[in-house]
Amino acid sequence: GGWDNDVVRDAAPHGALINDYIAPKNTLTLSTDDGDLVYVIRASLISDKDMMDKVTVDQLAEFFLYVKEVHSLVANARSERTGRLCQVIFANDISGTRQAPDSRFSKALTASSAQYEKLYPSLAGPTMILNLPFILQAFVGLLKPLFPKSVQERLKFKPAPVLKGLKELTPLTNNPPTRKSFLNEIKGLLRA
């Protein structure tokens, strides 16, 4: 079946606190034609400092682990149904990022990522850092070692013009031609 971000968001732990900040305009999950999940995040649209003033690091880490558990359940069900190992493709859009994230936000991401590596080692597909500002592209070699070794093997730094052209992510859910263009873009980036 299809993917419904609202059902997942509404059931999330601490969702009442977090869903105002982690919303479809900046974070969502889409399905590819093959059944893989594409988890898209545009960090520049997350008011991380404001959010972290309302939630704890542990609450946000638990929220992200919940998202990953849902991804795991969906990918496993699709794998079982299709006979094809489905995965989660991470698309981290850096468009519009002007500063480093709040340190508490980074701590929550790090905590949930460490757990993810332990709990779901076969689920993670490619991790793409998309639309890195030109000034940082020269430092890709320095950025890669900041990621866990298991992520480094799957890490890609790529431009994604379709994604960059969106003011926010919601057209990926409510505009079928835009969603199709973006998913085709992702497919092409994975082949490159």
Side-chain angles (χ1 to χ4, degrees), residues 3-13 15 19 29 63 66-71 74:
W3 182 267
D4 186 346
N5 287 295
D6 290 333
V7 170
V8 174
R9 286 170 33 79
D10 292 344
N19 284 341
T29 303
F63 176 90
Y66 164 81
V67 171
K68 291 167 182 171
E69 176 65 17
V70 171
H71 285 163
V74 171

Side-chain angles (χ1 to χ4, degrees), residues 139-181:
F139 299 103
V140 165
L142 298 173
L143 295 173
K144 204 169 184 176
L146 299 175
F147 292 87
K149 292 260 188 244
S150 58
V151 173
Q152 288 180 34
E153 298 164 7
R154 301 183 314 271
L155 193 59
K156 296 175 178 261
F157 292 86
K158 299 285 185 180
V162 172
L163 187 58
K164 189 174 185 172
L166 300 174
K167 290 183 182 188
E168 61 176 55
L169 302 180
T170 49
L172 297 175
T173 62
N174 60 23
N175 185 315
T178 301
R179 180 176 46 252
K180 183 176 181 172
S181 293

Side-chain angles (χ1 to χ4, degrees), residues 78-100:
R78 289 179 179 182
S79 295
E80 199 172 298
R81 189 179 72 243
T82 65
R84 178 189 168 276
L85 183 61
C86 294
Q87 61 186 350
V88 179
I89 300 160
F90 295 91
N92 298 297
D93 181 24
I94 309 301
S95 298
T97 301
R98 302 277 184 253
Q99 62 189 20

Side-chain angles (χ1 to χ4, degrees), residues 27-83:
T27 308
L28 52 84
T29 303
L30 303 170
S31 294
T32 66
D33 290 340
D34 294 334
D36 290 329
L37 299 176
V38 181
Y39 188 43
V40 189
I41 300 170
R42 180 172 288 167
S44 65
L45 294 179
I46 299 173
S47 298
D48 56 338
K49 184 188 178 328
D50 293 341
M51 177 176 58
M52 296 312 300
D53 287 343
K54 293 196 168 49
V55 302
T56 67
V57 168
D58 288 342
Q59 286 173 321
L60 186 59
E62 186 177 348
F63 176 90
F64 284 132
L65 278 173
Y66 164 81
V67 171
K68 291 167 182 171
E69 176 65 17
V70 171
H71 285 163
S72 174
L73 293 170
V74 171
N76 287 343
R78 289 179 179 182
S79 295
E80 199 172 298
R81 189 179 72 243
T82 65

Side-chain angles (χ1 to χ4, degrees), residues 99-171:
Q99 62 189 20
D102 182 281
S103 62
R104 298 164 296 172
F105 183 73
S106 294
K107 191 173 179 182
L109 286 175
T110 300
S112 70
S113 292
Q115 289 296 316
Y116 184 71
E117 292 294 317
K118 289 180 199 169
L119 297 172
Y120 313 105
S122 64
L123 184 63
T127 295
M128 295 185 283
I129 307 299
L130 303 173
N131 301 315
L132 196 64
F134 180 75
I135 192 77
L136 294 178
Q137 290 176 16
F139 299 103
V140 165
L142 298 173
L143 295 173
K144 204 169 184 176
L146 299 175
F147 292 87
K149 292 260 188 244
S150 58
V151 173
Q152 288 180 34
E153 298 164 7
R154 301 183 314 271
L155 193 59
K156 296 175 178 261
F157 292 86
K158 299 285 185 180
V162 172
L163 187 58
K164 189 174 185 172
L166 300 174
K167 290 183 182 188
E168 61 176 55
L169 302 180
T170 49

